[in-house]
Amino acid sequence: MIEFRSVRKQYENGTVAVQELSLSVEAGTMTVLVGPSGCGKTTLMRMVNRMIEPSSGSVLVGDKDVREVDPAHLRRGIGYVIQQAGLFPHRTVLDNVATVPLLFGRKRRTARRRAAELLERVGLPTDLGKRYPAQLSGGQQQRVGVARALAADPPVLLMDEPFSAVDPVVRAGLQEELLRLQGELGKTVLFVTHDIDEAVKLGDKVAVLRQGGYLAQYAEPDDLLAE
Ligand code: ADP
Ligand code: ADP
């Protein structure tokens, strides 16, 4: 579903963020990219929705080279969740989520109904929909971020350290919720973290990256070698 073929990335200033690397994420599974800060995780992830172009090699989504797909169309099929949920501060929680179906031309009432369903799906009490993002806890905001990413019903989800900013107890809850959702909805997920425990817990496959953009290991969690 997502495939990196001999991908390499060198930035304009000469930094090589990703050495030639190949890996693929099967449809309906979650692959976790794990490694220290600066090892190229975000660079790799952003190649999938073409926020970053590889210097060489190619990236495929659903068997199509991303360069051959109109970027707007490509991104419609890819939900993106980042560390600070990136919610619109001046819109209510419900409207933050409803914005996406509205953009796709749904009627206001339908969009809001869909948003309410999604908030429930990610485990948020419905009455929180009336609040503004700043009136929610960090963990609740991340749930809203996930609901918003799901609003377009994309087959692919990119998640860049989505739970890093919340405390460990809340994080464990969010991880459980994500596993449940992913199983239910069958999304193809590429998840980035610097936390190996999180990678092992969530990943069907784990790609361990090393400083300098090297792929050190790529295996199922049970088959990872201690480092
Ligand atoms: P994040 O999504 O974590 O906010 P950023 O895009 O801000 O990621 O940056 C990721 C990493 O890349 C950071 O280590 C940052 O210092 C580095 N970085 C980002 N832009 C540049 C740049 N123009 N030149 C050098 N390093 C950069
Ligand atoms: P990670 O997500 O694993 O923290 P990144 O992909 O953000 O790593 O960064 C990989 C390397 O590329 C780092 O050395 C970072 O400083 C560098 N980098 C990231 N973005 C840029 C940029 N726009 N220009 C130059 N270097 C960058």
Side-chain angles (χ1 to χ4, degrees), residues 25-32 121-122 146 150 154-157 159 174-191 201-205:
V25 187
E26 266 177 61
T29 70
M30 178 152 25
T31 289
V32 181
R121 264 222 127 95
V122 299
V146 174
L150 291 172
V156 174
L157 276 181
M159 308 187 82
L174 290 168
Q175 289 166 344
E176 294 298 335
E177 205 73 43
L178 175 62
L179 284 173
R180 186 184 61 76
L181 267 177
Q182 197 243 345
E184 256 176 49
L185 305 177
K187 302 290 179 193
T188 305
V189 185
L190 189 61
F191 189 105
K201 179 167 175 187
L202 294 179
D204 295 299
K205 283 274 199 77

PDB file of all heavy atoms in Angstrom, residues 25-32 121-122 146 150 154-157 159 174-191 201-205:
ATOM      1  N   VAL A  25       4.722  -0.946   3.430  1.00  0.00           N
ATOM      2  CA  VAL A  25       3.691  -1.117   4.441  1.00  0.00           C
ATOM      3  C   VAL A  25       2.505  -1.778   3.758  1.00  0.00           C
ATOM      4  O   VAL A  25       1.912  -1.209   2.846  1.00  0.00           O
ATOM      5  CB  VAL A  25       3.250   0.248   5.012  1.00  0.00           C
ATOM      6  CG1 VAL A  25       2.306   0.045   6.187  1.00  0.00           C
ATOM      7  CG2 VAL A  25       4.459   1.076   5.422  1.00  0.00           C
ATOM      8  N   GLU A  26       2.187  -2.985   4.187  1.00  0.00           N
ATOM      9  CA  GLU A  26       1.055  -3.697   3.587  1.00  0.00           C
ATOM     10  C   GLU A  26      -0.265  -3.039   3.943  1.00  0.00           C
ATOM     11  O   GLU A  26      -0.407  -2.503   5.038  1.00  0.00           O
ATOM     12  CB  GLU A  26       1.025  -5.133   4.110  1.00  0.00           C
ATOM     13  CG  GLU A  26       1.735  -6.127   3.236  1.00  0.00           C
ATOM     14  CD  GLU A  26       1.714  -7.490   3.889  1.00  0.00           C
ATOM     15  OE1 GLU A  26       0.609  -8.022   4.118  1.00  0.00           O
ATOM     16  OE2 GLU A  26       2.809  -7.993   4.196  1.00  0.00           O
ATOM     17  N   ALA A  27      -1.200  -3.144   3.049  1.00  0.00           N
ATOM     18  CA  ALA A  27      -2.523  -2.571   3.294  1.00  0.00           C
ATOM     19  C   ALA A  27      -3.107  -3.126   4.585  1.00  0.00           C
ATOM     20  O   ALA A  27      -2.992  -4.325   4.865  1.00  0.00           O
ATOM     21  CB  ALA A  27      -3.451  -2.879   2.123  1.00  0.00           C
ATOM     22  N   GLY A  28      -3.710  -2.261   5.386  1.00  0.00           N
ATOM     23  CA  GLY A  28      -4.370  -2.688   6.610  1.00  0.00           C
ATOM     24  C   GLY A  28      -3.435  -2.992   7.758  1.00  0.00           C
ATOM     25  O   GLY A  28      -3.866  -3.522   8.782  1.00  0.00           O
ATOM     26  N   THR A  29      -2.146  -2.672   7.617  1.00  0.00           N
ATOM     27  CA  THR A  29      -1.200  -2.917   8.715  1.00  0.00           C
ATOM     28  C   THR A  29      -0.567  -1.600   9.165  1.00  0.00           C
ATOM     29  O   THR A  29      -0.662  -0.586   8.480  1.00  0.00           O
ATOM     30  CB  THR A  29      -0.053  -3.873   8.306  1.00  0.00           C
ATOM     31  OG1 THR A  29       0.806  -3.205   7.374  1.00  0.00           O
ATOM     32  CG2 THR A  29      -0.599  -5.147   7.697  1.00  0.00           C
ATOM     33  N   MET A  30       0.085  -1.676  10.320  1.00  0.00           N
ATOM     34  CA  MET A  30       0.778  -0.497  10.840  1.00  0.00           C
ATOM     35  C   MET A  30       2.282  -0.775  10.875  1.00  0.00           C
ATOM     36  O   MET A  30       2.725  -1.774  11.431  1.00  0.00           O
ATOM     37  CB  MET A  30       0.272  -0.184  12.260  1.00  0.00           C
ATOM     38  CG  MET A  30       0.989   0.989  12.876  1.00  0.00           C
ATOM     39  SD  MET A  30       0.070   1.971  14.112  1.00  0.00           S
ATOM     40  CE  MET A  30      -1.157   0.912  14.790  1.00  0.00           C
ATOM     41  N   THR A  31       3.045   0.123  10.261  1.00  0.00           N
ATOM     42  CA  THR A  31       4.492   0.066  10.348  1.00  0.00           C
ATOM     43  C   THR A  31       4.960   1.257  11.154  1.00  0.00           C
ATOM     44  O   THR A  31       4.481   2.375  10.960  1.00  0.00           O
ATOM     45  CB  THR A  31       5.139   0.075   8.946  1.00  0.00           C
ATOM     46  OG1 THR A  31       4.892  -1.177   8.311  1.00  0.00           O
ATOM     47  CG2 THR A  31       6.650   0.291   9.024  1.00  0.00           C
ATOM     48  N   VAL A  32       5.873   1.005  12.090  1.00  0.00           N
ATOM     49  CA  VAL A  32       6.393   2.083  12.930  1.00  0.00           C
ATOM     50  C   VAL A  32       7.840   2.368  12.555  1.00  0.00           C
ATOM     51  O   VAL A  32       8.664   1.452  12.478  1.00  0.00           O
ATOM     52  CB  VAL A  32       6.296   1.712  14.424  1.00  0.00           C
ATOM     53  CG1 VAL A  32       6.825   2.857  15.286  1.00  0.00           C
ATOM     54  CG2 VAL A  32       4.858   1.400  14.812  1.00  0.00           C
ATOM     55  N   ARG A 121     -16.150   7.697  18.362  1.00  0.00           N
ATOM     56  CA  ARG A 121     -15.252   6.608  17.956  1.00  0.00           C
ATOM     57  C   ARG A 121     -13.895   6.671  18.634  1.00  0.00           C
ATOM     58  O   ARG A 121     -13.311   5.646  18.974  1.00  0.00           O
ATOM     59  CB  ARG A 121     -15.008   6.689  16.442  1.00  0.00           C
ATOM     60  CG  ARG A 121     -15.881   5.824  15.614  1.00  0.00           C
ATOM     61  CD  ARG A 121     -15.012   5.192  14.543  1.00  0.00           C
ATOM     62  NE  ARG A 121     -15.163   3.745  14.533  1.00  0.00           N
ATOM     63  CZ  ARG A 121     -16.002   3.108  13.738  1.00  0.00           C
ATOM     64  NH1 ARG A 121     -16.789   3.774  12.924  1.00  0.00           N
ATOM     65  NH2 ARG A 121     -16.044   1.797  13.758  1.00  0.00           N
ATOM     66  N   VAL A 122     -13.371   7.906  18.784  1.00  0.00           N
ATOM     67  CA  VAL A 122     -12.056   8.044  19.410  1.00  0.00           C
ATOM     68  C   VAL A 122     -12.167   8.182  20.931  1.00  0.00           C
ATOM     69  O   VAL A 122     -11.189   8.480  21.608  1.00  0.00           O
ATOM     70  CB  VAL A 122     -11.240   9.232  18.829  1.00  0.00           C
ATOM     71  CG1 VAL A 122     -11.000   9.043  17.350  1.00  0.00           C
ATOM     72  CG2 VAL A 122     -11.930  10.558  19.097  1.00  0.00           C
ATOM     73  N   VAL A 146      -6.897  12.880  15.911  1.00  0.00           N
ATOM     74  CA  VAL A 146      -7.109  11.593  15.229  1.00  0.00           C
ATOM     75  C   VAL A 146      -8.482  11.584  14.551  1.00  0.00           C
ATOM     76  O   VAL A 146      -8.618  11.174  13.390  1.00  0.00           O
ATOM     77  CB  VAL A 146      -6.981  10.412  16.221  1.00  0.00           C
ATOM     78  CG1 VAL A 146      -7.347   9.095  15.549  1.00  0.00           C
ATOM     79  CG2 VAL A 146      -5.554  10.339  16.781  1.00  0.00           C
ATOM     80  N   LEU A 150      -9.375  11.159  10.546  1.00  0.00           N
ATOM     81  CA  LEU A 150     -10.246  10.085  10.046  1.00  0.00           C
ATOM     82  C   LEU A 150     -11.452  10.628   9.280  1.00  0.00           C
ATOM     83  O   LEU A 150     -12.148   9.878   8.599  1.00  0.00           O
ATOM     84  CB  LEU A 150     -10.754   9.232  11.215  1.00  0.00           C
ATOM     85  CG  LEU A 150      -9.724   8.366  11.930  1.00  0.00           C
ATOM     86  CD1 LEU A 150     -10.345   7.754  13.179  1.00  0.00           C
ATOM     87  CD2 LEU A 150      -9.190   7.280  11.009  1.00  0.00           C
ATOM     88  N   PRO A 154      -9.721   8.403   5.037  1.00  0.00           N
ATOM     89  CA  PRO A 154      -8.596   8.090   4.162  1.00  0.00           C
ATOM     90  C   PRO A 154      -8.121   6.656   4.385  1.00  0.00           C
ATOM     91  O   PRO A 154      -8.143   6.182   5.521  1.00  0.00           O
ATOM     92  CB  PRO A 154      -7.512   9.065   4.626  1.00  0.00           C
ATOM     93  CG  PRO A 154      -7.797   9.230   6.088  1.00  0.00           C
ATOM     94  CD  PRO A 154      -9.298   9.137   6.240  1.00  0.00           C
ATOM     95  N   PRO A 155      -7.712   5.956   3.333  1.00  0.00           N
ATOM     96  CA  PRO A 155      -7.183   4.602   3.539  1.00  0.00           C
ATOM     97  C   PRO A 155      -5.834   4.600   4.252  1.00  0.00           C
ATOM     98  O   PRO A 155      -5.466   3.611   4.867  1.00  0.00           O
ATOM     99  CB  PRO A 155      -7.038   4.046   2.117  1.00  0.00           C
ATOM    100  CG  PRO A 155      -7.131   5.208   1.198  1.00  0.00           C
ATOM    101  CD  PRO A 155      -7.840   6.317   1.907  1.00  0.00           C
ATOM    102  N   VAL A 156      -5.110   5.721   4.170  1.00  0.00           N
ATOM    103  CA  VAL A 156      -3.764   5.793   4.734  1.00  0.00           C
ATOM    104  C   VAL A 156      -3.702   6.861   5.821  1.00  0.00           C
ATOM    105  O   VAL A 156      -4.254   7.942   5.670  1.00  0.00           O
ATOM    106  CB  VAL A 156      -2.739   6.152   3.624  1.00  0.00           C
ATOM    107  CG1 VAL A 156      -1.357   6.383   4.218  1.00  0.00           C
ATOM    108  CG2 VAL A 156      -2.689   5.057   2.565  1.00  0.00           C
ATOM    109  N   LEU A 157      -3.026   6.523   6.934  1.00  0.00           N
ATOM    110  CA  LEU A 157      -2.810   7.499   8.009  1.00  0.00           C
ATOM    111  C   LEU A 157      -1.311   7.644   8.261  1.00  0.00           C
ATOM    112  O   LEU A 157      -0.604   6.655   8.432  1.00  0.00           O
ATOM    113  CB  LEU A 157      -3.440   7.007   9.312  1.00  0.00           C
ATOM    114  CG  LEU A 157      -4.918   7.246   9.591  1.00  0.00           C
ATOM    115  CD1 LEU A 157      -5.259   6.666  10.963  1.00  0.00           C
ATOM    116  CD2 LEU A 157      -5.256   8.729   9.550  1.00  0.00           C
ATOM    117  N   MET A 159       1.198   9.236  11.038  1.00  0.00           N
ATOM    118  CA  MET A 159       1.142   9.747  12.410  1.00  0.00           C
ATOM    119  C   MET A 159       2.555  10.036  12.890  1.00  0.00           C
ATOM    120  O   MET A 159       3.355   9.125  13.060  1.00  0.00           O
ATOM    121  CB  MET A 159       0.439   8.724  13.311  1.00  0.00           C
ATOM    122  CG  MET A 159      -0.912   8.282  12.753  1.00  0.00           C
ATOM    123  SD  MET A 159      -1.858   7.224  13.875  1.00  0.00           S
ATOM    124  CE  MET A 159      -2.587   8.452  14.939  1.00  0.00           C
ATOM    125  N   LEU A 174      -4.318   6.118  24.672  1.00  0.00           N
ATOM    126  CA  LEU A 174      -4.388   6.506  23.262  1.00  0.00           C
ATOM    127  C   LEU A 174      -3.873   5.386  22.363  1.00  0.00           C
ATOM    128  O   LEU A 174      -4.425   5.123  21.289  1.00  0.00           O
ATOM    129  CB  LEU A 174      -3.576   7.784  23.028  1.00  0.00           C
ATOM    130  CG  LEU A 174      -4.148   9.074  23.628  1.00  0.00           C
ATOM    131  CD1 LEU A 174      -3.120  10.207  23.584  1.00  0.00           C
ATOM    132  CD2 LEU A 174      -5.413   9.507  22.890  1.00  0.00           C
ATOM    133  N   GLN A 175      -2.831   4.710  22.825  1.00  0.00           N
ATOM    134  CA  GLN A 175      -2.275   3.597  22.031  1.00  0.00           C
ATOM    135  C   GLN A 175      -3.304   2.484  21.880  1.00  0.00           C
ATOM    136  O   GLN A 175      -3.504   1.949  20.784  1.00  0.00           O
ATOM    137  CB  GLN A 175      -0.999   3.061  22.702  1.00  0.00           C
ATOM    138  CG  GLN A 175       0.177   4.012  22.605  1.00  0.00           C
ATOM    139  CD  GLN A 175       1.310   3.641  23.547  1.00  0.00           C
ATOM    140  OE1 GLN A 175       1.128   2.862  24.493  1.00  0.00           O
ATOM    141  NE2 GLN A 175       2.476   4.211  23.313  1.00  0.00           N
ATOM    142  N   GLU A 176      -3.952   2.140  22.994  1.00  0.00           N
ATOM    143  CA  GLU A 176      -4.990   1.098  22.947  1.00  0.00           C
ATOM    144  C   GLU A 176      -6.079   1.477  21.950  1.00  0.00           C
ATOM    145  O   GLU A 176      -6.550   0.665  21.154  1.00  0.00           O
ATOM    146  CB  GLU A 176      -5.641   0.907  24.322  1.00  0.00           C
ATOM    147  CG  GLU A 176      -4.719   0.352  25.404  1.00  0.00           C
ATOM    148  CD  GLU A 176      -4.199  -1.034  25.076  1.00  0.00           C
ATOM    149  OE1 GLU A 176      -4.880  -1.749  24.313  1.00  0.00           O
ATOM    150  OE2 GLU A 176      -3.111  -1.389  25.566  1.00  0.00           O
ATOM    151  N   GLU A 177      -6.495   2.747  22.061  1.00  0.00           N
ATOM    152  CA  GLU A 177      -7.570   3.255  21.211  1.00  0.00           C
ATOM    153  C   GLU A 177      -7.161   3.172  19.739  1.00  0.00           C
ATOM    154  O   GLU A 177      -7.954   2.775  18.886  1.00  0.00           O
ATOM    155  CB  GLU A 177      -7.819   4.707  21.605  1.00  0.00           C
ATOM    156  CG  GLU A 177      -9.194   5.210  21.314  1.00  0.00           C
ATOM    157  CD  GLU A 177     -10.207   4.626  22.282  1.00  0.00           C
ATOM    158  OE1 GLU A 177      -9.941   4.549  23.502  1.00  0.00           O
ATOM    159  OE2 GLU A 177     -11.258   4.220  21.793  1.00  0.00           O
ATOM    160  N   LEU A 178      -5.925   3.525  19.475  1.00  0.00           N
ATOM    161  CA  LEU A 178      -5.450   3.487  18.080  1.00  0.00           C
ATOM    162  C   LEU A 178      -5.445   2.055  17.553  1.00  0.00           C
ATOM    163  O   LEU A 178      -5.871   1.795  16.423  1.00  0.00           O
ATOM    164  CB  LEU A 178      -4.050   4.098  17.974  1.00  0.00           C
ATOM    165  CG  LEU A 178      -3.411   4.001  16.577  1.00  0.00           C
ATOM    166  CD1 LEU A 178      -4.241   4.763  15.533  1.00  0.00           C
ATOM    167  CD2 LEU A 178      -1.978   4.527  16.596  1.00  0.00           C
ATOM    168  N   LEU A 179      -4.980   1.110  18.380  1.00  0.00           N
ATOM    169  CA  LEU A 179      -4.953  -0.294  17.955  1.00  0.00           C
ATOM    170  C   LEU A 179      -6.368  -0.786  17.650  1.00  0.00           C
ATOM    171  O   LEU A 179      -6.599  -1.469  16.655  1.00  0.00           O
ATOM    172  CB  LEU A 179      -4.307  -1.169  19.033  1.00  0.00           C
ATOM    173  CG  LEU A 179      -2.782  -1.085  19.113  1.00  0.00           C
ATOM    174  CD1 LEU A 179      -2.272  -1.847  20.329  1.00  0.00           C
ATOM    175  CD2 LEU A 179      -2.127  -1.617  17.833  1.00  0.00           C
ATOM    176  N   ARG A 180      -7.299  -0.402  18.512  1.00  0.00           N
ATOM    177  CA  ARG A 180      -8.683  -0.820  18.322  1.00  0.00           C
ATOM    178  C   ARG A 180      -9.241  -0.231  17.015  1.00  0.00           C
ATOM    179  O   ARG A 180      -9.784  -0.948  16.178  1.00  0.00           O
ATOM    180  CB  ARG A 180      -9.524  -0.348  19.510  1.00  0.00           C
ATOM    181  CG  ARG A 180     -10.964  -0.852  19.499  1.00  0.00           C
ATOM    182  CD  ARG A 180     -11.778  -0.278  20.654  1.00  0.00           C
ATOM    183  NE  ARG A 180     -11.870   1.165  20.630  1.00  0.00           N
ATOM    184  CZ  ARG A 180     -12.650   1.859  19.799  1.00  0.00           C
ATOM    185  NH1 ARG A 180     -13.412   1.238  18.916  1.00  0.00           N
ATOM    186  NH2 ARG A 180     -12.671   3.181  19.839  1.00  0.00           N
ATOM    187  N   LEU A 181      -9.041   1.076  16.858  1.00  0.00           N
ATOM    188  CA  LEU A 181      -9.542   1.757  15.666  1.00  0.00           C
ATOM    189  C   LEU A 181      -8.950   1.171  14.393  1.00  0.00           C
ATOM    190  O   LEU A 181      -9.640   0.947  13.408  1.00  0.00           O
ATOM    191  CB  LEU A 181      -9.126   3.231  15.706  1.00  0.00           C
ATOM    192  CG  LEU A 181     -10.078   4.228  16.315  1.00  0.00           C
ATOM    193  CD1 LEU A 181      -9.421   5.602  16.316  1.00  0.00           C
ATOM    194  CD2 LEU A 181     -11.380   4.273  15.544  1.00  0.00           C
ATOM    195  N   GLN A 182      -7.643   0.935  14.458  1.00  0.00           N
ATOM    196  CA  GLN A 182      -6.966   0.458  13.252  1.00  0.00           C
ATOM    197  C   GLN A 182      -7.469  -0.929  12.878  1.00  0.00           C
ATOM    198  O   GLN A 182      -7.696  -1.230  11.708  1.00  0.00           O
ATOM    199  CB  GLN A 182      -5.456   0.443  13.462  1.00  0.00           C
ATOM    200  CG  GLN A 182      -4.691   0.357  12.164  1.00  0.00           C
ATOM    201  CD  GLN A 182      -3.889  -0.909  12.062  1.00  0.00           C
ATOM    202  OE1 GLN A 182      -3.687  -1.588  13.078  1.00  0.00           O
ATOM    203  NE2 GLN A 182      -3.465  -1.256  10.872  1.00  0.00           N
ATOM    204  N   GLY A 183      -7.670  -1.771  13.898  1.00  0.00           N
ATOM    205  CA  GLY A 183      -8.226  -3.090  13.645  1.00  0.00           C
ATOM    206  C   GLY A 183      -9.621  -3.009  13.045  1.00  0.00           C
ATOM    207  O   GLY A 183      -9.945  -3.711  12.084  1.00  0.00           O
ATOM    208  N   GLU A 184     -10.437  -2.109  13.608  1.00  0.00           N
ATOM    209  CA  GLU A 184     -11.813  -1.958  13.145  1.00  0.00           C
ATOM    210  C   GLU A 184     -11.899  -1.386  11.744  1.00  0.00           C
ATOM    211  O   GLU A 184     -12.685  -1.838  10.919  1.00  0.00           O
ATOM    212  CB  GLU A 184     -12.530  -0.964  14.068  1.00  0.00           C
ATOM    213  CG  GLU A 184     -13.474  -1.587  15.054  1.00  0.00           C
ATOM    214  CD  GLU A 184     -14.039  -0.516  15.973  1.00  0.00           C
ATOM    215  OE1 GLU A 184     -14.501   0.536  15.488  1.00  0.00           O
ATOM    216  OE2 GLU A 184     -13.961  -0.738  17.178  1.00  0.00           O
ATOM    217  N   LEU A 185     -11.100  -0.360  11.499  1.00  0.00           N
ATOM    218  CA  LEU A 185     -11.241   0.389  10.243  1.00  0.00           C
ATOM    219  C   LEU A 185     -10.303  -0.106   9.153  1.00  0.00           C
ATOM    220  O   LEU A 185     -10.432   0.264   7.994  1.00  0.00           O
ATOM    221  CB  LEU A 185     -11.007   1.886  10.482  1.00  0.00           C
ATOM    222  CG  LEU A 185     -11.874   2.543  11.558  1.00  0.00           C
ATOM    223  CD1 LEU A 185     -11.479   4.007  11.734  1.00  0.00           C
ATOM    224  CD2 LEU A 185     -13.356   2.452  11.199  1.00  0.00           C
ATOM    225  N   GLY A 186      -9.319  -0.935   9.545  1.00  0.00           N
ATOM    226  CA  GLY A 186      -8.400  -1.496   8.546  1.00  0.00           C
ATOM    227  C   GLY A 186      -7.553  -0.470   7.813  1.00  0.00           C
ATOM    228  O   GLY A 186      -7.246  -0.615   6.638  1.00  0.00           O
ATOM    229  N   LYS A 187      -7.161   0.600   8.508  1.00  0.00           N
ATOM    230  CA  LYS A 187      -6.328   1.620   7.873  1.00  0.00           C
ATOM    231  C   LYS A 187      -4.898   1.126   7.707  1.00  0.00           C
ATOM    232  O   LYS A 187      -4.417   0.297   8.483  1.00  0.00           O
ATOM    233  CB  LYS A 187      -6.296   2.892   8.720  1.00  0.00           C
ATOM    234  CG  LYS A 187      -7.647   3.503   8.997  1.00  0.00           C
ATOM    235  CD  LYS A 187      -8.253   4.113   7.767  1.00  0.00           C
ATOM    236  CE  LYS A 187      -9.619   4.703   8.056  1.00  0.00           C
ATOM    237  NZ  LYS A 187     -10.358   5.040   6.843  1.00  0.00           N
ATOM    238  N   THR A 188      -4.232   1.675   6.718  1.00  0.00           N
ATOM    239  CA  THR A 188      -2.800   1.452   6.554  1.00  0.00           C
ATOM    240  C   THR A 188      -2.101   2.611   7.240  1.00  0.00           C
ATOM    241  O   THR A 188      -2.338   3.761   6.904  1.00  0.00           O
ATOM    242  CB  THR A 188      -2.430   1.436   5.061  1.00  0.00           C
ATOM    243  OG1 THR A 188      -3.249   0.467   4.414  1.00  0.00           O
ATOM    244  CG2 THR A 188      -0.965   1.107   4.864  1.00  0.00           C
ATOM    245  N   VAL A 189      -1.263   2.298   8.242  1.00  0.00           N
ATOM    246  CA  VAL A 189      -0.702   3.362   9.081  1.00  0.00           C
ATOM    247  C   VAL A 189       0.816   3.355   9.051  1.00  0.00           C
ATOM    248  O   VAL A 189       1.453   2.312   9.213  1.00  0.00           O
ATOM    249  CB  VAL A 189      -1.168   3.213  10.554  1.00  0.00           C
ATOM    250  CG1 VAL A 189      -0.677   4.384  11.397  1.00  0.00           C
ATOM    251  CG2 VAL A 189      -2.689   3.113  10.647  1.00  0.00           C
ATOM    252  N   LEU A 190       1.395   4.528   8.864  1.00  0.00           N
ATOM    253  CA  LEU A 190       2.820   4.736   9.060  1.00  0.00           C
ATOM    254  C   LEU A 190       2.956   5.648  10.276  1.00  0.00           C
ATOM    255  O   LEU A 190       2.431   6.760  10.292  1.00  0.00           O
ATOM    256  CB  LEU A 190       3.438   5.383   7.819  1.00  0.00           C
ATOM    257  CG  LEU A 190       4.961   5.466   7.777  1.00  0.00           C
ATOM    258  CD1 LEU A 190       5.593   4.076   7.828  1.00  0.00           C
ATOM    259  CD2 LEU A 190       5.418   6.194   6.507  1.00  0.00           C
ATOM    260  N   PHE A 191       3.625   5.131  11.309  1.00  0.00           N
ATOM    261  CA  PHE A 191       3.650   5.795  12.622  1.00  0.00           C
ATOM    262  C   PHE A 191       5.100   6.080  12.988  1.00  0.00           C
ATOM    263  O   PHE A 191       5.951   5.200  12.890  1.00  0.00           O
ATOM    264  CB  PHE A 191       3.006   4.844  13.635  1.00  0.00           C
ATOM    265  CG  PHE A 191       2.754   5.423  15.002  1.00  0.00           C
ATOM    266  CD1 PHE A 191       1.463   5.776  15.381  1.00  0.00           C
ATOM    267  CD2 PHE A 191       3.783   5.581  15.920  1.00  0.00           C
ATOM    268  CE1 PHE A 191       1.207   6.295  16.656  1.00  0.00           C
ATOM    269  CE2 PHE A 191       3.539   6.099  17.187  1.00  0.00           C
ATOM    270  CZ  PHE A 191       2.246   6.449  17.560  1.00  0.00           C
ATOM    271  N   LYS A 201       4.839  -2.032  20.776  1.00  0.00           N
ATOM    272  CA  LYS A 201       3.442  -2.209  21.137  1.00  0.00           C
ATOM    273  C   LYS A 201       2.519  -2.037  19.925  1.00  0.00           C
ATOM    274  O   LYS A 201       1.551  -2.778  19.761  1.00  0.00           O
ATOM    275  CB  LYS A 201       3.077  -1.200  22.229  1.00  0.00           C
ATOM    276  CG  LYS A 201       1.633  -1.274  22.681  1.00  0.00           C
ATOM    277  CD  LYS A 201       1.438  -0.480  23.951  1.00  0.00           C
ATOM    278  CE  LYS A 201      -0.020  -0.441  24.354  1.00  0.00           C
ATOM    279  NZ  LYS A 201      -0.261   0.451  25.487  1.00  0.00           N
ATOM    280  N   LEU A 202       2.831  -1.068  19.075  1.00  0.00           N
ATOM    281  CA  LEU A 202       1.898  -0.698  18.014  1.00  0.00           C
ATOM    282  C   LEU A 202       2.166  -1.373  16.670  1.00  0.00           C
ATOM    283  O   LEU A 202       1.244  -1.618  15.896  1.00  0.00           O
ATOM    284  CB  LEU A 202       1.919   0.812  17.799  1.00  0.00           C
ATOM    285  CG  LEU A 202       1.408   1.695  18.929  1.00  0.00           C
ATOM    286  CD1 LEU A 202       1.526   3.162  18.526  1.00  0.00           C
ATOM    287  CD2 LEU A 202      -0.030   1.355  19.284  1.00  0.00           C
ATOM    288  N   GLY A 203       3.437  -1.639  16.382  1.00  0.00           N
ATOM    289  CA  GLY A 203       3.775  -1.996  15.009  1.00  0.00           C
ATOM    290  C   GLY A 203       3.481  -3.441  14.643  1.00  0.00           C
ATOM    291  O   GLY A 203       3.783  -4.351  15.406  1.00  0.00           O
ATOM    292  N   ASP A 204       2.888  -3.666  13.467  1.00  0.00           N
ATOM    293  CA  ASP A 204       2.925  -5.003  12.869  1.00  0.00           C
ATOM    294  C   ASP A 204       4.343  -5.249  12.381  1.00  0.00           C
ATOM    295  O   ASP A 204       4.854  -6.362  12.434  1.00  0.00           O
ATOM    296  CB  ASP A 204       1.958  -5.086  11.683  1.00  0.00           C
ATOM    297  CG  ASP A 204       0.512  -4.919  12.107  1.00  0.00           C
ATOM    298  OD1 ASP A 204       0.049  -5.758  12.899  1.00  0.00           O
ATOM    299  OD2 ASP A 204      -0.137  -3.950  11.681  1.00  0.00           O
ATOM    300  N   LYS A 205       4.946  -4.166  11.881  1.00  0.00           N
ATOM    301  CA  LYS A 205       6.354  -4.172  11.482  1.00  0.00           C
ATOM    302  C   LYS A 205       7.011  -2.945  12.087  1.00  0.00           C
ATOM    303  O   LYS A 205       6.377  -1.908  12.235  1.00  0.00           O
ATOM    304  CB  LYS A 205       6.480  -4.061   9.955  1.00  0.00           C
ATOM    305  CG  LYS A 205       6.203  -5.337   9.199  1.00  0.00           C
ATOM    306  CD  LYS A 205       7.475  -6.172   9.118  1.00  0.00           C
ATOM    307  CE  LYS A 205       7.439  -7.215   8.013  1.00  0.00           C
ATOM    308  NZ  LYS A 205       7.671  -6.661   6.697  1.00  0.00           N
TER     309      LYS A 205
END
